[in-house]
mmCIF file of all heavy atoms in Angstrom:
data_model
loop_
_atom_site.group_PDB
_atom_site.id
_atom_site.type_symbol
_atom_site.label_atom_id
_atom_site.label_comp_id
_atom_site.label_asym_id
_atom_site.label_seq_id
_atom_site.Cartn_x
_atom_site.Cartn_y
_atom_site.Cartn_z
ATOM 1 N N ALA Z 18 -1.253 10.512 -8.785
ATOM 2 C CA ALA Z 18 -1.217 9.980 -10.123
ATOM 3 C C ALA Z 18 0.186 9.399 -10.462
ATOM 4 O O ALA Z 18 0.306 8.511 -11.304
ATOM 5 C CB ALA Z 18 -1.653 10.988 -11.158
ATOM 6 N N ARG Z 19 1.198 9.875 -9.779
ATOM 7 C CA ARG Z 19 2.610 9.501 -10.142
ATOM 8 C C ARG Z 19 3.216 8.597 -9.078
ATOM 9 O O ARG Z 19 4.260 8.005 -9.270
ATOM 10 C CB ARG Z 19 3.434 10.719 -10.208
ATOM 11 C CG ARG Z 19 2.990 11.617 -11.356
ATOM 12 C CD ARG Z 19 3.892 12.864 -11.471
ATOM 13 N NE ARG Z 19 3.420 13.616 -12.619
ATOM 14 C CZ ARG Z 19 3.385 14.853 -12.627
ATOM 15 N NH1 ARG Z 19 3.775 15.619 -11.599
ATOM 16 N NH2 ARG Z 19 2.976 15.561 -13.722
ATOM 17 N N THR Z 20 2.495 8.394 -7.930
ATOM 18 C CA THR Z 20 3.150 7.689 -6.843
ATOM 19 C C THR Z 20 2.616 6.326 -6.662
ATOM 20 O O THR Z 20 1.378 6.118 -6.538
ATOM 21 C CB THR Z 20 2.937 8.528 -5.477
ATOM 22 O OG1 THR Z 20 3.431 9.818 -5.667
ATOM 23 C CG2 THR Z 20 3.723 7.894 -4.343
ATOM 24 N N THR Z 21 3.533 5.279 -6.634
ATOM 25 C CA THR Z 21 3.078 3.910 -6.393
ATOM 26 C C THR Z 21 3.102 3.658 -4.875
ATOM 27 O O THR Z 21 3.672 4.405 -4.111
ATOM 28 C CB THR Z 21 4.050 2.945 -7.012
ATOM 29 O OG1 THR Z 21 5.270 3.024 -6.420
ATOM 30 C CG2 THR Z 21 4.157 3.184 -8.505
ATOM 31 N N LEU Z 22 2.580 2.511 -4.507
ATOM 32 C CA LEU Z 22 2.563 2.143 -3.051
ATOM 33 C C LEU Z 22 3.998 2.010 -2.516
ATOM 34 O O LEU Z 22 4.305 2.469 -1.448
ATOM 35 C CB LEU Z 22 1.776 0.832 -2.808
ATOM 36 C CG LEU Z 22 0.283 0.863 -2.924
ATOM 37 C CD1 LEU Z 22 -0.260 -0.526 -2.633
ATOM 38 C CD2 LEU Z 22 -0.287 1.834 -1.944
ATOM 39 N N ALA Z 23 4.801 1.487 -3.372
ATOM 40 C CA ALA Z 23 6.229 1.280 -2.959
ATOM 41 C C ALA Z 23 6.961 2.639 -2.801
ATOM 42 O O ALA Z 23 7.628 2.814 -1.806
ATOM 43 C CB ALA Z 23 6.978 0.483 -4.044
ATOM 44 N N MET Z 24 6.719 3.611 -3.572
ATOM 45 C CA MET Z 24 7.292 4.910 -3.507
ATOM 46 C C MET Z 24 6.738 5.548 -2.260
ATOM 47 O O MET Z 24 7.488 6.260 -1.474
ATOM 48 C CB MET Z 24 6.973 5.750 -4.743
ATOM 49 C CG MET Z 24 7.662 5.258 -5.999
ATOM 50 S SD MET Z 24 6.938 5.939 -7.552
ATOM 51 C CE MET Z 24 7.277 7.715 -7.267
ATOM 52 N N ALA Z 25 5.402 5.454 -2.024
ATOM 53 C CA ALA Z 25 4.741 6.134 -0.899
ATOM 54 C C ALA Z 25 5.278 5.498 0.410
ATOM 55 O O ALA Z 25 5.501 6.209 1.388
ATOM 56 C CB ALA Z 25 3.218 5.932 -0.948
ATOM 57 N N ALA Z 26 5.549 4.234 0.471
ATOM 58 C CA ALA Z 26 6.104 3.549 1.626
ATOM 59 C C ALA Z 26 7.497 4.173 2.054
ATOM 60 O O ALA Z 26 7.726 4.490 3.132
ATOM 61 C CB ALA Z 26 6.284 2.075 1.417
ATOM 62 N N LYS Z 27 8.292 4.447 0.967
ATOM 63 C CA LYS Z 27 9.546 5.098 1.238
ATOM 64 C C LYS Z 27 9.426 6.516 1.796
ATOM 65 O O LYS Z 27 10.075 6.981 2.717
ATOM 66 C CB LYS Z 27 10.413 5.116 -0.037
ATOM 67 C CG LYS Z 27 11.019 3.767 -0.409
ATOM 68 C CD LYS Z 27 11.851 3.870 -1.670
ATOM 69 C CE LYS Z 27 12.422 2.553 -2.066
ATOM 70 N NZ LYS Z 27 13.192 2.603 -3.274
ATOM 71 N N ILE Z 28 8.468 7.231 1.151
ATOM 72 C CA ILE Z 28 8.260 8.638 1.539
ATOM 73 C C ILE Z 28 7.705 8.688 2.995
ATOM 74 O O ILE Z 28 8.119 9.515 3.794
ATOM 75 C CB ILE Z 28 7.192 9.296 0.575
ATOM 76 C CG1 ILE Z 28 7.846 9.450 -0.793
ATOM 77 C CG2 ILE Z 28 6.760 10.651 1.137
ATOM 78 C CD1 ILE Z 28 6.837 9.837 -1.884
ATOM 79 N N GLY Z 29 6.793 7.777 3.321
ATOM 80 C CA GLY Z 29 6.129 7.827 4.608
ATOM 81 C C GLY Z 29 6.882 7.071 5.699
ATOM 82 O O GLY Z 29 6.461 7.046 6.854
ATOM 83 N N GLY Z 30 8.019 6.451 5.357
ATOM 84 C CA GLY Z 30 8.790 5.734 6.400
ATOM 85 C C GLY Z 30 8.064 4.527 6.870
ATOM 86 O O GLY Z 30 8.151 4.193 8.114
ATOM 87 N N CYS Z 31 7.308 3.839 5.991
ATOM 88 C CA CYS Z 31 6.542 2.667 6.424
ATOM 89 C C CYS Z 31 6.811 1.589 5.416
ATOM 90 O O CYS Z 31 7.713 1.659 4.570
ATOM 91 C CB CYS Z 31 5.098 3.046 6.474
ATOM 92 S SG CYS Z 31 4.391 3.711 5.022
ATOM 93 N N THR Z 32 6.007 0.491 5.441
ATOM 94 C CA THR Z 32 6.209 -0.607 4.485
ATOM 95 C C THR Z 32 4.951 -0.764 3.657
ATOM 96 O O THR Z 32 3.859 -0.255 3.990
ATOM 97 C CB THR Z 32 6.402 -1.925 5.257
ATOM 98 O OG1 THR Z 32 5.213 -2.241 5.931
ATOM 99 C CG2 THR Z 32 7.555 -1.863 6.187
ATOM 100 N N VAL Z 33 5.108 -1.390 2.505
ATOM 101 C CA VAL Z 33 4.014 -1.738 1.613
ATOM 102 C C VAL Z 33 2.981 -2.420 2.359
ATOM 103 O O VAL Z 33 1.760 -2.336 2.177
ATOM 104 C CB VAL Z 33 4.428 -2.427 0.350
ATOM 105 C CG1 VAL Z 33 3.312 -2.785 -0.518
ATOM 106 C CG2 VAL Z 33 5.353 -1.505 -0.461
ATOM 107 N N THR Z 34 3.369 -3.372 3.273
ATOM 108 C CA THR Z 34 2.487 -4.231 4.089
ATOM 109 C C THR Z 34 1.548 -3.298 4.942
ATOM 110 O O THR Z 34 0.418 -3.666 5.170
ATOM 111 C CB THR Z 34 3.277 -5.165 4.961
ATOM 112 O OG1 THR Z 34 4.136 -5.957 4.107
ATOM 113 C CG2 THR Z 34 2.376 -6.092 5.756
ATOM 114 N N ASP Z 35 2.095 -2.151 5.445
ATOM 115 C CA ASP Z 35 1.254 -1.239 6.173
ATOM 116 C C ASP Z 35 0.043 -0.795 5.329
ATOM 117 O O ASP Z 35 -1.086 -0.672 5.829
ATOM 118 C CB ASP Z 35 2.056 -0.040 6.618
ATOM 119 C CG ASP Z 35 3.108 -0.394 7.648
ATOM 120 O OD1 ASP Z 35 2.902 -1.298 8.409
ATOM 121 O OD2 ASP Z 35 4.131 0.283 7.697
ATOM 122 N N PHE Z 36 0.304 -0.562 4.004
ATOM 123 C CA PHE Z 36 -0.819 -0.120 3.111
ATOM 124 C C PHE Z 36 -1.754 -1.290 2.928
ATOM 125 O O PHE Z 36 -2.964 -1.113 2.982
ATOM 126 C CB PHE Z 36 -0.216 0.289 1.718
ATOM 127 C CG PHE Z 36 0.425 1.600 1.731
ATOM 128 C CD1 PHE Z 36 1.726 1.774 1.967
ATOM 129 C CD2 PHE Z 36 -0.362 2.770 1.491
ATOM 130 C CE1 PHE Z 36 2.346 3.033 1.996
ATOM 131 C CE2 PHE Z 36 0.200 4.037 1.461
ATOM 132 C CZ PHE Z 36 1.603 4.131 1.694
ATOM 133 N N TYR Z 37 -1.230 -2.481 2.708
ATOM 134 C CA TYR Z 37 -2.052 -3.633 2.548
ATOM 135 C C TYR Z 37 -2.984 -3.888 3.728
ATOM 136 O O TYR Z 37 -4.172 -4.101 3.553
ATOM 137 C CB TYR Z 37 -1.216 -4.939 2.407
ATOM 138 C CG TYR Z 37 -0.401 -5.034 1.073
ATOM 139 C CD1 TYR Z 37 0.626 -5.955 0.969
ATOM 140 C CD2 TYR Z 37 -0.669 -4.148 0.009
ATOM 141 C CE1 TYR Z 37 1.351 -6.050 -0.196
ATOM 142 C CE2 TYR Z 37 0.092 -4.263 -1.115
ATOM 143 C CZ TYR Z 37 1.141 -5.175 -1.248
ATOM 144 O OH TYR Z 37 1.879 -5.281 -2.396
ATOM 145 N N ASN Z 38 -2.417 -3.712 4.974
ATOM 146 C CA ASN Z 38 -3.186 -3.889 6.156
ATOM 147 C C ASN Z 38 -4.330 -2.887 6.314
ATOM 148 O O ASN Z 38 -5.391 -3.240 6.854
ATOM 149 C CB ASN Z 38 -2.270 -3.826 7.407
ATOM 150 C CG ASN Z 38 -1.327 -4.970 7.456
ATOM 151 O OD1 ASN Z 38 -1.636 -6.080 6.893
ATOM 152 N ND2 ASN Z 38 -0.260 -4.912 8.237
ATOM 153 N N LYS Z 39 -4.161 -1.658 5.834
ATOM 154 C CA LYS Z 39 -5.175 -0.567 5.894
ATOM 155 C C LYS Z 39 -6.185 -0.798 4.761
ATOM 156 O O LYS Z 39 -7.379 -0.461 4.950
ATOM 157 C CB LYS Z 39 -4.557 0.822 5.785
ATOM 158 C CG LYS Z 39 -3.747 1.203 7.020
ATOM 159 C CD LYS Z 39 -4.721 1.509 8.158
ATOM 160 C CE LYS Z 39 -3.829 2.012 9.336
ATOM 161 N NZ LYS Z 39 -4.760 2.529 10.407
ATOM 162 N N LEU Z 40 -5.764 -1.233 3.591
ATOM 163 C CA LEU Z 40 -6.628 -1.246 2.390
ATOM 164 C C LEU Z 40 -7.464 -2.570 2.290
ATOM 165 O O LEU Z 40 -8.545 -2.492 1.798
ATOM 166 C CB LEU Z 40 -5.844 -1.059 1.187
ATOM 167 C CG LEU Z 40 -5.139 0.360 1.051
ATOM 168 C CD1 LEU Z 40 -4.199 0.339 -0.166
ATOM 169 C CD2 LEU Z 40 -6.173 1.462 0.964
ATOM 170 N N GLN Z 41 -6.953 -3.589 2.815
ATOM 171 C CA GLN Z 41 -7.662 -4.917 2.705
ATOM 172 C C GLN Z 41 -9.055 -4.875 3.396
ATOM 173 O O GLN Z 41 -10.007 -5.347 2.778
ATOM 174 C CB GLN Z 41 -6.809 -6.024 3.271
ATOM 175 C CG GLN Z 41 -7.226 -7.370 2.749
ATOM 176 C CD GLN Z 41 -6.169 -8.432 2.925
ATOM 177 O OE1 GLN Z 41 -5.304 -8.241 3.855
ATOM 178 N NE2 GLN Z 41 -6.245 -9.489 2.119
ATOM 179 N N PRO Z 42 -9.174 -4.251 4.555
ATOM 180 C CA PRO Z 42 -10.570 -4.187 5.157
ATOM 181 C C PRO Z 42 -11.585 -3.333 4.315
ATOM 182 O O PRO Z 42 -12.725 -3.488 4.509
ATOM 183 C CB PRO Z 42 -10.297 -3.508 6.528
ATOM 184 C CG PRO Z 42 -8.883 -3.725 6.811
ATOM 185 C CD PRO Z 42 -8.120 -3.778 5.486
ATOM 186 N N LEU Z 43 -11.025 -2.454 3.412
ATOM 187 C CA LEU Z 43 -11.892 -1.716 2.632
ATOM 188 C C LEU Z 43 -12.400 -2.493 1.312
ATOM 189 O O LEU Z 43 -12.980 -1.898 0.449
ATOM 190 C CB LEU Z 43 -11.196 -0.432 2.154
ATOM 191 C CG LEU Z 43 -10.825 0.581 3.295
ATOM 192 C CD1 LEU Z 43 -10.071 1.734 2.747
ATOM 193 C CD2 LEU Z 43 -12.049 1.015 4.034
ATOM 194 N N GLY Z 44 -11.868 -3.762 1.260
ATOM 195 C CA GLY Z 44 -12.299 -4.555 0.117
ATOM 196 C C GLY Z 44 -11.291 -4.686 -1.000
ATOM 197 O O GLY Z 44 -11.568 -5.294 -2.041
ATOM 198 N N PHE Z 45 -10.119 -4.157 -0.772
ATOM 199 C CA PHE Z 45 -9.126 -4.251 -1.854
ATOM 200 C C PHE Z 45 -8.466 -5.637 -1.860
ATOM 201 O O PHE Z 45 -8.244 -6.189 -0.765
ATOM 202 C CB PHE Z 45 -8.001 -3.216 -1.618
ATOM 203 C CG PHE Z 45 -8.438 -1.824 -2.061
ATOM 204 C CD1 PHE Z 45 -8.955 -0.931 -1.070
ATOM 205 C CD2 PHE Z 45 -8.344 -1.372 -3.350
ATOM 206 C CE1 PHE Z 45 -9.374 0.298 -1.422
ATOM 207 C CE2 PHE Z 45 -8.757 -0.102 -3.698
ATOM 208 C CZ PHE Z 45 -9.258 0.734 -2.736
ATOM 209 N N GLU Z 46 -8.218 -6.204 -2.986
ATOM 210 C CA GLU Z 46 -7.526 -7.509 -3.097
ATOM 211 C C GLU Z 46 -6.046 -7.231 -3.199
ATOM 212 O O GLU Z 46 -5.663 -6.365 -3.957
ATOM 213 C CB GLU Z 46 -8.013 -8.252 -4.352
ATOM 214 C CG GLU Z 46 -9.453 -8.703 -4.263
ATOM 215 C CD GLU Z 46 -9.866 -9.535 -5.408
ATOM 216 O OE1 GLU Z 46 -9.041 -10.121 -6.097
ATOM 217 O OE2 GLU Z 46 -11.071 -9.501 -5.684
ATOM 218 N N ILE Z 47 -5.297 -7.943 -2.427
ATOM 219 C CA ILE Z 47 -3.888 -7.787 -2.324
ATOM 220 C C ILE Z 47 -3.191 -8.872 -3.193
ATOM 221 O O ILE Z 47 -3.423 -10.050 -3.041
ATOM 222 C CB ILE Z 47 -3.327 -7.839 -0.943
ATOM 223 C CG1 ILE Z 47 -4.158 -6.914 0.020
ATOM 224 C CG2 ILE Z 47 -1.853 -7.576 -0.846
ATOM 225 C CD1 ILE Z 47 -4.149 -5.480 -0.406
ATOM 226 N N ASP Z 48 -2.296 -8.402 -4.089
ATOM 227 C CA ASP Z 48 -1.488 -9.289 -4.917
ATOM 228 C C ASP Z 48 -0.046 -9.276 -4.460
ATOM 229 O O ASP Z 48 0.703 -8.414 -4.873
ATOM 230 C CB ASP Z 48 -1.588 -8.901 -6.373
ATOM 231 C CG ASP Z 48 -0.825 -9.819 -7.347
ATOM 232 O OD1 ASP Z 48 -0.294 -10.818 -6.892
ATOM 233 O OD2 ASP Z 48 -0.750 -9.524 -8.500
ATOM 234 N N THR Z 49 0.302 -10.150 -3.578
ATOM 235 C CA THR Z 49 1.659 -10.136 -3.012
ATOM 236 C C THR Z 49 2.650 -10.914 -3.920
ATOM 237 O O THR Z 49 3.892 -10.789 -3.711
ATOM 238 C CB THR Z 49 1.724 -10.870 -1.582
ATOM 239 O OG1 THR Z 49 1.160 -12.193 -1.750
ATOM 240 C CG2 THR Z 49 0.855 -10.046 -0.629
#
């Protein structure tokens, strides 16, 4: 509830694009 994708990317040592790549096939629309 408190963590954004940008924050999670820092925590996980990855990029926001990594999230986009995983979520887009599930039907999420990406607003770059």
Side-chain angles (χ1 to χ4, degrees):
R19 297 181 176 141
T20 307
T21 65
L22 287 180
M24 293 165 60
K27 286 182 182 179
I28 292 167
C31 55
T32 66
V33 174
T34 304
D35 293 329
F36 284 93
Y37 294 164
N38 293 338
K39 290 287 187 173
L40 296 172
Q41 202 163 22
L43 296 177
F45 287 94
E46 292 182 25
I47 308 303
D48 181 5
T49 57

